[in-house]
Amino acid sequence: MNKRAEELSASLEQAAFWMPFTANRQFKKSPRLLARAEGMHYWTPDGRQVLDGTAGLWCVNAGHCRPKIVEAVKRQVAQMDFAPTFQMGHPIAFEFAERLARVAPPGFARVFFTNSGSESADTALKIALAYQRARGEGGRYRLIGRERGYHGVNFGGMAVGGITANKKVFGPGVAGVDHLRHTHDPARNAFSKGQPRHGAEFADELERLCALHDPSTIAAVIVEPVAGSAGVLVPPVGYLERLREICTRHGILLIFDEVITGFGRLGKPFGSLYFGVMPDLFTTAKALTNATVPMGAVFVKNEIFEAFMQGTEGIELFHGYTYSGHPLACAAGIATLDTFEEEGLLTRAGQLAAHWQDAVHALKGAPHVIDIRDCGLMAAIELEPRPGSPGKRAYEVFVKAFEAGVLVRVTGDTIALSPPLIVERGQIDRMFECVDTMLRAVS
Ligand SMILES: Cc1ncc(COP(=O)(O)O)c(C=O)c1O
């Protein structure tokens, strides 16, 4: 361990850093630090190599410290560190938006830049509300999310999100929000490979909410094509299609949160293309810049943008962030797209998906495993909770796997994996062998 890392580990119990989504006291007593990264690996401060089974936090889709991206950021920071995008512009932001429009599904040629997935969610919700008003449907103020959905931590995304722990201490939040039920149905769908067969009818809940609230009050529905943070919940066959159909019938906008499913995770550039269901807006972040510089982007259908461009000239949308279209993020994003394209990464998950699926489903029958789910290069292994200590068993698997040199993610009693899209078959095998070993090592 180098000296600085040694000092850090020794002093963490009093550390100033209030860590996000972390059990601070527990972590600081027994920290897991990462000091360097390259390709498929991290290294700890004492030089131990860790295979990255989670693409950082579902975001480093091209692998770590890719030279082209690193060089682009270095060049940009030396050339122009920052420039505003309010009533000003810089070429690289226009260039990046143009490049994104080219990889987006047809008809999504407009891009609004944010700095994170949370900001993308709130931006998409605000655009949806403002669009409804712009087209003379200002009575549509309701927003519908889904149980177990995750749309970040800002007030809009938190309100439409459906993870109780993320909401319960933060007050009543945004008015006019309701939720669909989640699609997890282990009694009928446990150990499904890819999309589960049962549950398209869960989309009919939207009809129920329309009947309850009157559809003319509903502006938008937001869902993740595959719910990631709540444990990789794959939509049942026909579910997204039905949601789309109901939204269209009632003039409700459908927003896909593609913060995880965007940029190749499922084997197509976006989840909408994978499932063959088009939303009206979709959010992205994470792999947009390969996570090298924080950034998010909301893609909107051309008609939505055009609706804002009618009427008297002036600022069409009173919304934006100081760092919308930040030059460093745009430089990272363009180099990320170059890397994705040169290496075929936006579709590579499709080539690996069968191997991935076989590898994860081979854990059926391992101790404690009650469900396995997969889609593209995402997988979840759900464990039976230890009586009286929910989440503990999966957490122990995560800690032991890290000690053995494999990074997995844990959410509740579910172990989730989503490696960089450059992963090799042998590395996939190693990840699941490690999880298998650790399942046998915990009580
Ligand atoms: C689907 C989805 N939306 C939004 C977010 C929030 O993104 P961020 O943490 O960048 O704000 C996440 C983060 O995991 C996510 O998975």
Side-chain angles (χ1 to χ4, degrees), residues 379-398:
I381 302 138
E382 186 163 344
L383 309 186
E384 181 151 36
R386 198 177 278 158
S389 316
K392 198 85 198 301
R393 183 176 274 147
Y395 180 78
E396 284 174 17
V397 171
F398 153 70

PDB file of all heavy atoms in Angstrom, residues 379-398:
ATOM      1  N   ALA A 379     -27.673  -8.972 -14.942  1.00  0.00           N
ATOM      2  CA  ALA A 379     -28.164 -10.187 -14.278  1.00  0.00           C
ATOM      3  C   ALA A 379     -28.384  -9.920 -12.799  1.00  0.00           C
ATOM      4  O   ALA A 379     -27.730  -9.052 -12.205  1.00  0.00           O
ATOM      5  CB  ALA A 379     -27.171 -11.330 -14.445  1.00  0.00           C
ATOM      6  N   ALA A 380     -29.325 -10.669 -12.235  1.00  0.00           N
ATOM      7  CA  ALA A 380     -29.591 -10.581 -10.803  1.00  0.00           C
ATOM      8  C   ALA A 380     -29.730 -11.983 -10.236  1.00  0.00           C
ATOM      9  O   ALA A 380     -30.342 -12.851 -10.860  1.00  0.00           O
ATOM     10  CB  ALA A 380     -30.883  -9.799 -10.564  1.00  0.00           C
ATOM     11  N   ILE A 381     -29.139 -12.173  -9.071  1.00  0.00           N
ATOM     12  CA  ILE A 381     -29.274 -13.437  -8.354  1.00  0.00           C
ATOM     13  C   ILE A 381     -29.919 -13.076  -7.020  1.00  0.00           C
ATOM     14  O   ILE A 381     -29.313 -12.366  -6.204  1.00  0.00           O
ATOM     15  CB  ILE A 381     -27.889 -14.076  -8.129  1.00  0.00           C
ATOM     16  CG1 ILE A 381     -27.200 -14.282  -9.487  1.00  0.00           C
ATOM     17  CG2 ILE A 381     -28.001 -15.386  -7.375  1.00  0.00           C
ATOM     18  CD1 ILE A 381     -25.751 -13.919  -9.485  1.00  0.00           C
ATOM     19  N   GLU A 382     -31.155 -13.504  -6.859  1.00  0.00           N
ATOM     20  CA  GLU A 382     -31.876 -13.118  -5.637  1.00  0.00           C
ATOM     21  C   GLU A 382     -31.742 -14.227  -4.601  1.00  0.00           C
ATOM     22  O   GLU A 382     -31.940 -15.410  -4.909  1.00  0.00           O
ATOM     23  CB  GLU A 382     -33.350 -12.859  -5.959  1.00  0.00           C
ATOM     24  CG  GLU A 382     -34.086 -12.324  -4.742  1.00  0.00           C
ATOM     25  CD  GLU A 382     -35.419 -11.669  -5.081  1.00  0.00           C
ATOM     26  OE1 GLU A 382     -35.675 -11.348  -6.253  1.00  0.00           O
ATOM     27  OE2 GLU A 382     -36.207 -11.500  -4.126  1.00  0.00           O
ATOM     28  N   LEU A 383     -31.401 -13.827  -3.377  1.00  0.00           N
ATOM     29  CA  LEU A 383     -31.173 -14.793  -2.303  1.00  0.00           C
ATOM     30  C   LEU A 383     -32.332 -14.757  -1.314  1.00  0.00           C
ATOM     31  O   LEU A 383     -32.975 -13.721  -1.114  1.00  0.00           O
ATOM     32  CB  LEU A 383     -29.888 -14.464  -1.547  1.00  0.00           C
ATOM     33  CG  LEU A 383     -28.630 -14.258  -2.400  1.00  0.00           C
ATOM     34  CD1 LEU A 383     -27.418 -14.088  -1.491  1.00  0.00           C
ATOM     35  CD2 LEU A 383     -28.419 -15.420  -3.367  1.00  0.00           C
ATOM     36  N   GLU A 384     -32.527 -15.860  -0.690  1.00  0.00           N
ATOM     37  CA  GLU A 384     -33.502 -15.897   0.397  1.00  0.00           C
ATOM     38  C   GLU A 384     -32.949 -15.042   1.542  1.00  0.00           C
ATOM     39  O   GLU A 384     -31.791 -15.217   1.936  1.00  0.00           O
ATOM     40  CB  GLU A 384     -33.643 -17.357   0.860  1.00  0.00           C
ATOM     41  CG  GLU A 384     -34.628 -17.502   1.952  1.00  0.00           C
ATOM     42  CD  GLU A 384     -35.265 -18.883   1.917  1.00  0.00           C
ATOM     43  OE1 GLU A 384     -34.564 -19.852   1.577  1.00  0.00           O
ATOM     44  OE2 GLU A 384     -36.448 -18.947   2.250  1.00  0.00           O
ATOM     45  N   PRO A 385     -33.744 -14.110   2.048  1.00  0.00           N
ATOM     46  CA  PRO A 385     -33.227 -13.285   3.149  1.00  0.00           C
ATOM     47  C   PRO A 385     -32.941 -14.140   4.386  1.00  0.00           C
ATOM     48  O   PRO A 385     -33.665 -15.101   4.640  1.00  0.00           O
ATOM     49  CB  PRO A 385     -34.354 -12.302   3.442  1.00  0.00           C
ATOM     50  CG  PRO A 385     -35.409 -12.526   2.411  1.00  0.00           C
ATOM     51  CD  PRO A 385     -35.119 -13.784   1.676  1.00  0.00           C
ATOM     52  N   ARG A 386     -31.914 -13.769   5.112  1.00  0.00           N
ATOM     53  CA  ARG A 386     -31.647 -14.469   6.380  1.00  0.00           C
ATOM     54  C   ARG A 386     -32.715 -14.010   7.378  1.00  0.00           C
ATOM     55  O   ARG A 386     -32.961 -12.790   7.493  1.00  0.00           O
ATOM     56  CB  ARG A 386     -30.252 -14.085   6.870  1.00  0.00           C
ATOM     57  CG  ARG A 386     -29.693 -15.009   7.894  1.00  0.00           C
ATOM     58  CD  ARG A 386     -28.275 -14.590   8.251  1.00  0.00           C
ATOM     59  NE  ARG A 386     -27.289 -15.060   7.301  1.00  0.00           N
ATOM     60  CZ  ARG A 386     -26.087 -14.499   7.145  1.00  0.00           C
ATOM     61  NH1 ARG A 386     -25.735 -13.451   7.851  1.00  0.00           N
ATOM     62  NH2 ARG A 386     -25.238 -14.996   6.286  1.00  0.00           N
ATOM     63  N   PRO A 387     -33.371 -14.937   8.076  1.00  0.00           N
ATOM     64  CA  PRO A 387     -34.471 -14.529   8.962  1.00  0.00           C
ATOM     65  C   PRO A 387     -34.031 -13.432   9.934  1.00  0.00           C
ATOM     66  O   PRO A 387     -33.003 -13.559  10.581  1.00  0.00           O
ATOM     67  CB  PRO A 387     -34.821 -15.834   9.706  1.00  0.00           C
ATOM     68  CG  PRO A 387     -34.322 -16.929   8.811  1.00  0.00           C
ATOM     69  CD  PRO A 387     -33.126 -16.379   8.089  1.00  0.00           C
ATOM     70  N   GLY A 388     -34.782 -12.364   9.957  1.00  0.00           N
ATOM     71  CA  GLY A 388     -34.499 -11.258  10.882  1.00  0.00           C
ATOM     72  C   GLY A 388     -33.420 -10.306  10.392  1.00  0.00           C
ATOM     73  O   GLY A 388     -33.212  -9.252  10.988  1.00  0.00           O
ATOM     74  N   SER A 389     -32.686 -10.645   9.354  1.00  0.00           N
ATOM     75  CA  SER A 389     -31.622  -9.750   8.854  1.00  0.00           C
ATOM     76  C   SER A 389     -31.682  -9.616   7.335  1.00  0.00           C
ATOM     77  O   SER A 389     -30.800 -10.114   6.630  1.00  0.00           O
ATOM     78  CB  SER A 389     -30.229 -10.278   9.211  1.00  0.00           C
ATOM     79  OG  SER A 389     -30.147 -10.731  10.502  1.00  0.00           O
ATOM     80  N   PRO A 390     -32.718  -8.959   6.819  1.00  0.00           N
ATOM     81  CA  PRO A 390     -32.805  -8.828   5.366  1.00  0.00           C
ATOM     82  C   PRO A 390     -31.571  -8.129   4.786  1.00  0.00           C
ATOM     83  O   PRO A 390     -31.050  -7.201   5.389  1.00  0.00           O
ATOM     84  CB  PRO A 390     -34.083  -7.996   5.155  1.00  0.00           C
ATOM     85  CG  PRO A 390     -34.408  -7.403   6.477  1.00  0.00           C
ATOM     86  CD  PRO A 390     -33.795  -8.271   7.532  1.00  0.00           C
ATOM     87  N   GLY A 391     -31.115  -8.600   3.663  1.00  0.00           N
ATOM     88  CA  GLY A 391     -29.991  -7.971   2.977  1.00  0.00           C
ATOM     89  C   GLY A 391     -28.614  -8.417   3.434  1.00  0.00           C
ATOM     90  O   GLY A 391     -27.615  -8.219   2.753  1.00  0.00           O
ATOM     91  N   LYS A 392     -28.562  -9.022   4.637  1.00  0.00           N
ATOM     92  CA  LYS A 392     -27.260  -9.332   5.256  1.00  0.00           C
ATOM     93  C   LYS A 392     -26.481 -10.381   4.450  1.00  0.00           C
ATOM     94  O   LYS A 392     -25.280 -10.254   4.216  1.00  0.00           O
ATOM     95  CB  LYS A 392     -27.538  -9.835   6.671  1.00  0.00           C
ATOM     96  CG  LYS A 392     -26.370  -9.812   7.613  1.00  0.00           C
ATOM     97  CD  LYS A 392     -26.179  -8.480   8.297  1.00  0.00           C
ATOM     98  CE  LYS A 392     -24.788  -8.334   8.897  1.00  0.00           C
ATOM     99  NZ  LYS A 392     -24.441  -9.338   9.877  1.00  0.00           N
ATOM    100  N   ARG A 393     -27.196 -11.404   4.031  1.00  0.00           N
ATOM    101  CA  ARG A 393     -26.526 -12.517   3.344  1.00  0.00           C
ATOM    102  C   ARG A 393     -25.925 -12.037   2.006  1.00  0.00           C
ATOM    103  O   ARG A 393     -24.768 -12.312   1.694  1.00  0.00           O
ATOM    104  CB  ARG A 393     -27.548 -13.626   3.098  1.00  0.00           C
ATOM    105  CG  ARG A 393     -26.997 -14.856   2.471  1.00  0.00           C
ATOM    106  CD  ARG A 393     -28.077 -15.918   2.357  1.00  0.00           C
ATOM    107  NE  ARG A 393     -28.222 -16.719   3.552  1.00  0.00           N
ATOM    108  CZ  ARG A 393     -29.381 -17.227   3.990  1.00  0.00           C
ATOM    109  NH1 ARG A 393     -30.503 -16.977   3.337  1.00  0.00           N
ATOM    110  NH2 ARG A 393     -29.411 -17.966   5.068  1.00  0.00           N
ATOM    111  N   ALA A 394     -26.712 -11.291   1.247  1.00  0.00           N
ATOM    112  CA  ALA A 394     -26.217 -10.793  -0.053  1.00  0.00           C
ATOM    113  C   ALA A 394     -25.043  -9.837   0.170  1.00  0.00           C
ATOM    114  O   ALA A 394     -24.062  -9.852  -0.592  1.00  0.00           O
ATOM    115  CB  ALA A 394     -27.338 -10.101  -0.814  1.00  0.00           C
ATOM    116  N   TYR A 395     -25.124  -9.046   1.226  1.00  0.00           N
ATOM    117  CA  TYR A 395     -24.037  -8.117   1.535  1.00  0.00           C
ATOM    118  C   TYR A 395     -22.741  -8.890   1.834  1.00  0.00           C
ATOM    119  O   TYR A 395     -21.654  -8.517   1.379  1.00  0.00           O
ATOM    120  CB  TYR A 395     -24.441  -7.232   2.723  1.00  0.00           C
ATOM    121  CG  TYR A 395     -23.375  -6.237   3.118  1.00  0.00           C
ATOM    122  CD1 TYR A 395     -23.191  -5.071   2.382  1.00  0.00           C
ATOM    123  CD2 TYR A 395     -22.547  -6.475   4.213  1.00  0.00           C
ATOM    124  CE1 TYR A 395     -22.202  -4.159   2.725  1.00  0.00           C
ATOM    125  CE2 TYR A 395     -21.561  -5.569   4.569  1.00  0.00           C
ATOM    126  CZ  TYR A 395     -21.391  -4.421   3.831  1.00  0.00           C
ATOM    127  OH  TYR A 395     -20.403  -3.525   4.168  1.00  0.00           O
ATOM    128  N   GLU A 396     -22.883  -9.977   2.549  1.00  0.00           N
ATOM    129  CA  GLU A 396     -21.689 -10.782   2.864  1.00  0.00           C
ATOM    130  C   GLU A 396     -21.085 -11.388   1.598  1.00  0.00           C
ATOM    131  O   GLU A 396     -19.863 -11.476   1.460  1.00  0.00           O
ATOM    132  CB  GLU A 396     -22.049 -11.895   3.863  1.00  0.00           C
ATOM    133  CG  GLU A 396     -22.210 -11.358   5.270  1.00  0.00           C
ATOM    134  CD  GLU A 396     -22.712 -12.409   6.264  1.00  0.00           C
ATOM    135  OE1 GLU A 396     -22.651 -13.624   5.968  1.00  0.00           O
ATOM    136  OE2 GLU A 396     -23.168 -11.979   7.331  1.00  0.00           O
ATOM    137  N   VAL A 397     -21.940 -11.801   0.678  1.00  0.00           N
ATOM    138  CA  VAL A 397     -21.440 -12.330  -0.606  1.00  0.00           C
ATOM    139  C   VAL A 397     -20.649 -11.237  -1.337  1.00  0.00           C
ATOM    140  O   VAL A 397     -19.546 -11.465  -1.856  1.00  0.00           O
ATOM    141  CB  VAL A 397     -22.598 -12.844  -1.493  1.00  0.00           C
ATOM    142  CG1 VAL A 397     -22.113 -13.186  -2.902  1.00  0.00           C
ATOM    143  CG2 VAL A 397     -23.259 -14.060  -0.852  1.00  0.00           C
ATOM    144  N   PHE A 398     -21.209 -10.043  -1.346  1.00  0.00           N
ATOM    145  CA  PHE A 398     -20.542  -8.897  -1.989  1.00  0.00           C
ATOM    146  C   PHE A 398     -19.161  -8.638  -1.364  1.00  0.00           C
ATOM    147  O   PHE A 398     -18.157  -8.511  -2.074  1.00  0.00           O
ATOM    148  CB  PHE A 398     -21.471  -7.683  -1.872  1.00  0.00           C
ATOM    149  CG  PHE A 398     -20.816  -6.333  -1.864  1.00  0.00           C
ATOM    150  CD1 PHE A 398     -20.222  -5.822  -3.018  1.00  0.00           C
ATOM    151  CD2 PHE A 398     -20.817  -5.546  -0.712  1.00  0.00           C
ATOM    152  CE1 PHE A 398     -19.631  -4.569  -3.009  1.00  0.00           C
ATOM    153  CE2 PHE A 398     -20.229  -4.298  -0.703  1.00  0.00           C
ATOM    154  CZ  PHE A 398     -19.627  -3.807  -1.852  1.00  0.00           C
TER     155      PHE A 398
END
